[in-house]
Amino acid sequence: MNKQITLIVLYIIFSTLAPAASSKPVFSEKGMVVSTSRQASEAGIEILKKGGNAIDAAVTVGFALSVTSSSNGNLGGGGFLVATMIDGESFTIDHREKAPADAYRDLFLDDTGSVVPGMSLYSRAGSGVPGTVDGLIQALEDHGSGKISLREVLTPAIRLAEKGFNLSHYEARRFNTYESFFGRNEAAAEIFIRKDGKPWKKGDRFIQRDLAKTLKRIAKHGSGGFYSGPVAEMIVEEMKRGNGLITLEDLANYSSIYREPVTGVYKDYTIVSMGPPSSGGALLINMLNMLEHYPIDSLGWNSSDYVHILTEVERRAYADRAEHLGDPDFWNVPITMLTAKEYAKNRIRDINMDTATPSNLISASQAPAYESPETTHYSVVDQWGNAVSVTTTINLGYGGGHLVKGAGFFLNNEMDDFSSKPGVPNAFGLVGNKANAIEPGKRPLSSMTPTIVLKNGKPFIIIGSPGGSTIITTTMQVILNIIHHNMDIKEGVSSPRFHSQWLPDVIMTEPRGLSRDVIQNLELKGHTLVPYNGGYIGEANGILITEDGFYGGGDSRGETSAVGY
Ligand code: DON
């Protein structure tokens, strides 16, 4: 039953819109915001117009998304922010959720040592301590222009929550599809199911008064308005309605953390991305390092040889992910090894262009003994060239469905991103081991890959995507689409994708993603192809920066919005 729900949730996340024929990217010269929500993108642009920088705008977008995109852009979740600033500084802010202090390795196992189905996803114990509010405020305080106050970045969000906004056709449809899911939680039903019992429709005004109050508390008290006082108490009350673990102390102790970006060089480009506790940046760089040895230009976009080689590097990278990646505060992640050119060169030695390597013949490398359906992505650039790339999530759509009564937001079910038991897959089919076992205060391993690609030292592509385990391969394919296949940003993010992740040993495809003869050629090489169970893969929202200016491209898979000025 729970597995079924997960599949439905994933399906709904990625099946709302089929990729339409690509339209042109949005062009502007002074700034650009690309996100999943028109109101959020516009809110970001308003701040840029007031003279704010890309950080001010990104923080504004983040808070606005918590209102307009409640299935994912939520105060009850966490994320990663990657930025490159014109003064040459680049940094990341890890505001990933943390396991509560009472969490322990076998939290989701029964007495016989088996994983309790659905517990990490749908019980209150599936919620980690949220990080979004602390991360966004930290970014604003340390790297905002100083011209824009906390109240100003929260104003659009408060307005959108208090006065409401009109639902689009797709938003109304999504609420209707989730009706029975909302019905499982009284507070969620109160807000997300229409009072008259009728289905939502396009143009309905959607008001979230409790959420507005929470946002006002944050505007007044900063992080303290969320991590202590009434909101914190309401979160703890919500935990008590089930078997939730988050305490007032966990909330008071939460803090986001600056981490060095992971960087790599691919051809003429520098990749700046998110390191552990995300696996995204390390795998992206590792896979590009492997691909550097192949004539990607001449293989041709989505040809069978192209799909084959990407699949082969993906299975090797994801095998390492399962073994070596976890929260670096708890696990010695061999990041130098994983991002090294030499390592990639050795790792491809057994790749054969004619036949697939069965995944059971691939295992993770030995680490050296010593080593020094729902998420959303938004990209922002300002007139000075400061670039910000943020991916944020509460894991599945509307998290585990637990809305904090009185505070108006859903809590994440991010504890499912831990490895509940070695070898047992999570909602995204990912397996893990000790590196990603549950421990108190630890952050679950993520695939989120907010990335900035530099050309001649300056931001060239700002990119990232939702999509669980597919996020990393989506981000890579968009980068390859632009660098090798001469696509503009709109085509780059919207073109059909495929995905492979070591286990299960298959290539997942989108509807009409690969032609029949390409599929046949791949099968002849020994690959198994299956439709991606979420329908469409990810929702990449990116910006391409050229000498002319900024080109924004929202993924045609979603109701995305690129706004420039
Ligand atoms: O952090 C991760 O990798 C997952 N929790 C992301 C979930 C996700 O992308 C779901 N939505 N599309």
Side-chain angles (χ1 to χ4, degrees), residues 1 5 8 175-185 189 193:
M1 175 62 181
I5 295 173
I8 293 169
F175 283 180
N176 295 334
T177 317
Y178 273 90
E179 189 177 312
S180 58
F181 189 64
F182 296 142
R184 291 152 47 129
N185 176 288
I193 298 179

Side-chain angles (χ1 to χ4, degrees), residues 76-77 97-100 124-131 246 411-415 444:
E97 301 90 331
K98 288 175 86 162
R124 287 172 176 82
S127 297
V129 186
I246 303 172
L411 281 170
N412 68 83
N413 52 357
E414 218 70 71
M415 296 290 283

Side-chain angles (χ1 to χ4, degrees), residues 10 13-14 80 96 321 373-376 393-397 414 417 428 430 445-448 465-469 471:
L10 283 171
I13 293 168
F14 294 120
F80 299 109
R96 179 76 161 164
R321 181 192 193 278
E374 178 161 326
T375 303
T376 194
T393 190
I394 53 173
N395 201 20
L396 299 190
E414 218 70 71
D417 275 351
F428 298 98
L430 291 165
L445 182 60
S446 173
S447 301
M448 291 190 280
S465 176
S469 55
I471 293 174

Side-chain angles (χ1 to χ4, degrees), residues 471-550:
I471 293 174
I472 314 169
T473 58
T474 290
T475 305
M476 179 172 76
Q477 285 172 84
V478 176
I479 293 171
L480 295 175
N481 285 346
I482 292 167
I483 291 180
H484 288 287
H485 306 298
N486 292 322
M487 294 190 197
D488 65 34
I489 186 73
K490 184 76 187 178
E491 274 184 290
V493 295
S494 301
S495 297
R497 294 190 267 267
F498 55 90
H499 170 73
S500 189
Q501 58 180 43
W502 181 51
L503 294 177
D505 187 354
V506 293
I507 301 175
M508 301 173 206
T509 59
E510 292 187 303
R512 297 170 296 283
L514 295 176
S515 65
R516 184 189 290 246
D517 50 354
V518 167
I519 292 174
Q520 279 166 355
N521 281 338
L522 286 162
E523 284 170 348
L524 283 174
K525 287 177 193 284
H527 292 284
T528 304
L529 288 97
V530 298
Y532 179 61
N533 65 15
Y536 293 93
I537 299 177
E539 187 197 274
N541 292 321
I543 300 174
L544 181 69
I545 302 161
T546 72
E547 302 214 319
D548 309 341
F550 308 125

